Amino acid sequence: MSELVRAVRTYLDHLSVERGLADNTLSSYRRDLRRYLEHLDRAGVSRLDEVTEATVSGFLMALREGDAEHPPLSSTSAARTVVAVRGFHKFALADGLATVDPASGVKPPAPAKRLPKALPLADVEAILEAAGAPGTTLALRDRALLELLYGTGARISEAVGLDVDDLDTVDQAVLLRGKGGKQRIVPVGSYALAAVDAYLVRGRPELVSTGQGTPALFLNARGGRLSRQSAWAVLTRAAERAGLTRDVSPHTLRHSFATHLLDGGADVRVVQELLGHASVTTTQVYTLVTVDSLREVFAAAHPRARD
């Protein structure tokens, strides 16, 4: 049994006995490290101290490009495998099996950015129209909540945390309290203002009469502040009534708010301020969505866009 094989077995025993990893996790580590050992064997490496950073980097490259025996791995799968290798070498150094850790400088590949899911405007409008049972107090509340979520790009926690005084109907703006206690003032459009006004006049007074009195803008049936979970359920029910088959979350409305603004020509830094992002880099992922939309239109409409 080679030195490398013994070291890997010692590491796997450590993961099983001392760290108590689940069987499925251990199987993943065993599979990843077996592939690593195969790579080292092909590279002519037989001892731990012969492994260099270039050796580990070469393994990562082989994972991404594939070889005769293995297909290329996605960035997520490659990252998982590199994590196993990094853990192995870190353990070998700490346990005195090696004198250096050649994998410490090799970073797992960053996972591909997932584009935010945005709804077409027609789907958003269908959800808003389907909010609540028509003619009921809760319908007024639900419509106001969803209009405000889409109309301001607020996070669900920001919306349910609103008090009545946070809404300025004269200046048509709302004060949102975001992550880390940061506050921002966001304009509110006419549709959201009209829905909130209808709720304040005809809906909220009835709800507040059943409770102990609270400054909260959005109330539950007992007169208390609407919870984040209940607000999420409001959106889910409205999406179901609208006939949408895809999963819709409060963040879907936030994504749609941002994407529709950018589609309409808004500057990314303005959208950043409206969303309350600390860095414009976070907001720029939405520009990828709009580029995809432009590419689809171009491919469908330009006479020389395709064969």
Side-chain angles (χ1 to χ4, degrees), residues 97-251:
L97 302 177
T99 58
V100 294
D101 179 357
S104 61
V106 180
K107 305 301 181 186
K113 285 187 175 180
R114 293 184 178 181
L115 297 182
K117 296 178 181 179
L119 294 171
L121 179 57
D123 286 353
V124 174
E125 291 176 336
I127 290 173
L128 298 175
E129 291 294 334
T136 66
T137 300
L138 294 182
L140 292 169
R141 181 205 64 189
D142 294 352
R143 179 65 180 262
L145 171 66
L146 299 186
E147 286 277 9
L148 196 67
L149 283 171
Y150 173 65
T152 64
R155 300 178 178 93
I156 188 70
S157 56
E158 294 171 344
V160 298
L162 285 172
D163 291 338
V164 174
D165 290 343
D166 291 330
L167 185 68
D168 187 339
T169 56
V170 176
D171 288 337
Q172 300 184 348
V174 64
L175 174 65
L176 297 175
R177 297 174 180 82
K179 294 180 178 179
K182 293 182 180 179
Q183 299 182 354
R184 67 187 187 281
I185 296 177
V186 176
V188 183
S190 58
Y191 285 91
L193 280 175
V196 172
D197 182 65
Y199 162 65
L200 288 174
V201 172
R202 304 198 308 274
R204 189 177 182 279
E206 182 177 331
L207 293 175
V208 79
S209 66
T210 64
Q212 301 296 317
T214 173
L217 175 59
F218 294 111
L219 306 179
N220 57 33
R222 298 179 301 281
R225 185 182 294 274
L226 189 68
S227 70
R228 183 177 177 275
Q229 292 78 10
S230 295
W232 190 305
V234 167
L235 174 59
T236 300
R237 289 194 296 268
E240 289 174 352
R241 282 194 291 266
L244 270 67
T245 56
R246 61 176 286 183
D247 291 335
V248 177
S249 72
H251 239 62

Side-chain angles (χ1 to χ4, degrees), residues 246-271:
R246 61 176 286 183
D247 291 335
V248 177
S249 72
H251 239 62
T252 308
L253 291 185
R254 182 169 159 86
H255 295 332
S256 301
F257 165 84
T259 302
H260 296 168
L261 278 173
L262 290 166
D263 281 341
D267 184 88
V268 67
R269 293 193 178 275
V270 173
V271 178

Side-chain angles (χ1 to χ4, degrees), residues 1 41 49 83 103 215 229 245 278:
M1 185 187 302
D41 184 60
D49 283 343
V83 165
Q229 292 78 10
T245 56

Side-chain angles (χ1 to χ4, degrees), residues 263-298:
D263 281 341
D267 184 88
V268 67
R269 293 193 178 275
V270 173
V271 178
Q272 174 197 355
E273 292 295 326
L274 293 174
L275 291 174
H277 286 159
S279 168
V280 73
T281 304
T282 308
T283 316
Q284 283 174 333
V285 68
Y286 294 99
T287 64
L288 300 177
V289 181
T290 61
V291 168
D292 278 352
S293 299
L294 291 173
R295 188 178 292 113
E296 289 176 7
V297 172
F298 171 77

Side-chain angles (χ1 to χ4, degrees), residues 52-118:
T52 65
E53 183 172 315
T55 310
V56 182
S57 297
F59 177 59
L60 173 57
M61 186 179 299
L63 292 175
R64 298 294 282 129
E65 295 180 353
D67 53 39
E69 298 180 13
H70 304 282
L73 293 183
S74 67
S75 58
T76 301
S77 297
R80 185 206 66 219
T81 303
V82 170
V83 165
V85 171
R86 280 166 55 90
F88 164 62
H89 281 292
K90 183 177 181 180
F91 167 80
L93 177 63
D95 212 47
L97 302 177
T99 58
V100 294
D101 179 357
S104 61
V106 180
K107 305 301 181 186
K113 285 187 175 180
R114 293 184 178 181
L115 297 182
K117 296 178 181 179

Side-chain angles (χ1 to χ4, degrees), residues 19-34:
R19 293 182 53 185
L21 296 191
D23 289 343
N24 287 343
T25 306
L26 279 173
S27 294
S28 295
Y29 271 83
R30 188 175 293 110
R31 181 175 60 251
D32 294 338
L33 291 173
R34 185 185 303 119

